[in-house]
């Protein structure tokens, strides 16, 4: 187990592929402990969104890194809702982009910009600045391996591709019924018009492309840290996962 240097807030790192439930678990855990929360995926989504809107070539590493360095991104906490992938509200230059960064068409650009080393480098200090007392729950792909290698507890949360696609579909449907998914975009309207099994297949295909890119990139690939505890949530409810995580938290003497 790693120990944080004296005077530095403790970190719990939660890594894993999309749809593994880590966003929900991270939000609940941060609330239960009264700790800060970092949804690092939101930062990559913001860079992907800005690149998409400005029609930037996703191979232009320098311009992408400039976006990552210069965008004024604020992540604010909102009450945790299980149907939402994250309980944070995202402001970019004072504009609420929470809904925009979660749109289907931002997923692939976000994962493509995340493979650019200069973008990851530019976002490193932004992420590390979230580490403040009393502690930080950090959710992402490389929290335990690169951003907070001295995290007191590292969890790698995974689930089968099928389970993850089903969860994403359920979240999407919940957001549609709750009205939190405002004015669907063109590609989302196409997806909504699909029969449920076609929509599930489309989500699964898109998730697999992202996962493969995240796993195979040379910098900060999606990978369990050697000292991470892996939890496979395929057959578990979010409550089951939370119980397992809280047991580890207590075992390590973390939190209040
Ligand atoms: O977690 P979320 O799906 O919001 O992340 C969006 C994208 O950002 C992921 O597909 C992944 O490529 C990238 N990401 C990353 N490293 C992180 C968090 C997210 O590369 N720590």
């Amino acid at each position: 187990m790693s120990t944080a240097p004296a005077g530095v807030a403790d970190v719990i790192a939660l890594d894993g592929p999309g749809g593994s439930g880590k966003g929900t678990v991270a939000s609940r855990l941060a609330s239960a402990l009264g700790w800060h929360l970092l949804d690092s995926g939101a930062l990559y989504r913001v860079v992907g969104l800005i690149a998409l809107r400005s029609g930037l070539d996703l191979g232009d590493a320098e311009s992408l890194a400039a976006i990552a360095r210069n965008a004024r991104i604020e992540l604010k906490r909102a009450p945790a809702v299980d149907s939402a992938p994250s309980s944070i509200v995202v402001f970019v230059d004072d504009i609420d982009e929470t809904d925009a960064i979660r749109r289907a068409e931002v997923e692939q650009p976000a994962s493509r910009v995340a493979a650019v080393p200069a973008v990851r480098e530019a976002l490193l200090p932004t992420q590390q600045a979230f580490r403040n007392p009393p502690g930080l729950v950090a959710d992402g792909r490389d929290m335990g391996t690169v951003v907070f290698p001295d995290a007191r507890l590292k969890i790698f949360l995974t689930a089968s591709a099928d389970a993850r696609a089903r969860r994403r579909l359920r979240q999407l449907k919940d957001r549609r019924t709750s009205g939190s998914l405002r004015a669907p975009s063109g590609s989302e309207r196409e997806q909504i018009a699909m029969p449920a099994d076609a929509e599930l297949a489309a989500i699964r295909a898109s998730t697999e492309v992202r996962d493969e890119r995240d796993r195979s990139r040379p910098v900060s690939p999606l990978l369990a840290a050697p000292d991470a505890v892996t939890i496979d949530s395929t057959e578990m409810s979010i409550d089951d996962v939370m119980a397992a995580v809280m047991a580890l938290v207590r075992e390590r003497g973390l939190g209040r």
Side-chain angles (χ1 to χ4, degrees), residues 95-140:
I95 296 169
D96 184 346
E97 301 284 16
T98 314
D99 199 39
I101 65 158
R102 302 272 164 224
R103 287 187 179 281
E105 62 266 32
V106 178
E107 305 240 298
Q108 297 302 333
S111 109
R112 286 186 59 192
V113 303
V116 177
V119 170
R120 304 200 73 87
E121 210 176 298
L123 290 179
L124 193 60
T126 313
Q127 295 172 84
Q128 290 171 334
F130 277 78
R131 183 179 201 162
N132 288 303
L136 173 69
V137 177
D139 150 11

Side-chain angles (χ1 to χ4, degrees), residues 40-41 44-45 111 114 120 140-143 210 214 217:
S40 59
Y44 292 99
R45 284 173 182 266
S111 109
R120 304 200 73 87
R141 306 288 189 287
D142 60 343
M143 299 295 98
R210 273 208 302 157
D214 289 352
R217 67 185 173 216

Side-chain angles (χ1 to χ4, degrees), residues 77-105:
R77 291 285 282 285
V81 179
D82 282 357
S83 60
S86 165
S87 65
I88 55 143
V89 180
V90 182
F91 288 86
V92 184
D93 294 327
D94 297 321
I95 296 169
D96 184 346
E97 301 284 16
T98 314
D99 199 39
I101 65 158
R102 302 272 164 224
R103 287 187 179 281
E105 62 266 32

Side-chain angles (χ1 to χ4, degrees), residues 184-196:
S185 65
S187 59
E188 281 164 347
R189 266 197 301 274
E190 268 172 39
Q191 218 175 322
I192 289 167
M194 287 179 189

Side-chain angles (χ1 to χ4, degrees), residues 23-201:
T24 311
V25 172
S27 298
R28 281 220 211 161
L29 187 58
S31 303
L33 297 174
W35 284 16
H36 299 280
L37 173 67
L38 166 62
D39 171 359
S40 59
L43 303 175
Y44 292 99
R45 284 173 182 266
V46 167
V47 179
L49 174 73
I50 297 175
L52 190 69
R53 279 187 185 155
S54 47
L56 208 72
D57 171 6
L58 294 180
D60 181 352
E62 200 27 63
S63 302
L64 293 173
I67 295 176
R69 272 193 302 272
N70 301 328
R72 209 159 45 77
I73 310 173
E74 268 182 286
L75 307 185
K76 294 188 180 165
R77 291 285 282 285
V81 179
D82 282 357
S83 60
S86 165
S87 65
I88 55 143
V89 180
V90 182
F91 288 86
V92 184
D93 294 327
D94 297 321
I95 296 169
D96 184 346
E97 301 284 16
T98 314
D99 199 39
I101 65 158
R102 302 272 164 224
R103 287 187 179 281
E105 62 266 32
V106 178
E107 305 240 298
Q108 297 302 333
S111 109
R112 286 186 59 192
V113 303
V116 177
V119 170
R120 304 200 73 87
E121 210 176 298
L123 290 179
L124 193 60
T126 313
Q127 295 172 84
Q128 290 171 334
F130 277 78
R131 183 179 201 162
N132 288 303
L136 173 69
V137 177
D139 150 11
R141 306 288 189 287
D142 60 343
M143 299 295 98
T145 50
V146 175
V147 183
F148 303 108
D150 62 346
R152 287 281 307 282
L153 172 61
K154 299 178 186 178
I155 294 170
F156 193 78
L157 194 56
T158 175
S160 71
D162 200 49
R164 293 189 289 114
R166 284 181 194 285
R167 283 181 198 156
R168 285 245 176 233
L169 180 62
R170 199 174 325 125
Q171 280 179 343
L172 200 63
K173 287 193 165 154
D174 287 351
R175 284 166 68 209
R176 274 178 210 150
T177 14
S178 71
S180 67
L181 190 65
R182 296 184 289 270
S185 65
S187 59
E188 281 164 347
R189 266 197 301 274
E190 268 172 39
Q191 218 175 322
I192 289 167
M194 287 179 189
D197 52 349
E199 191 174 9
L200 183 66

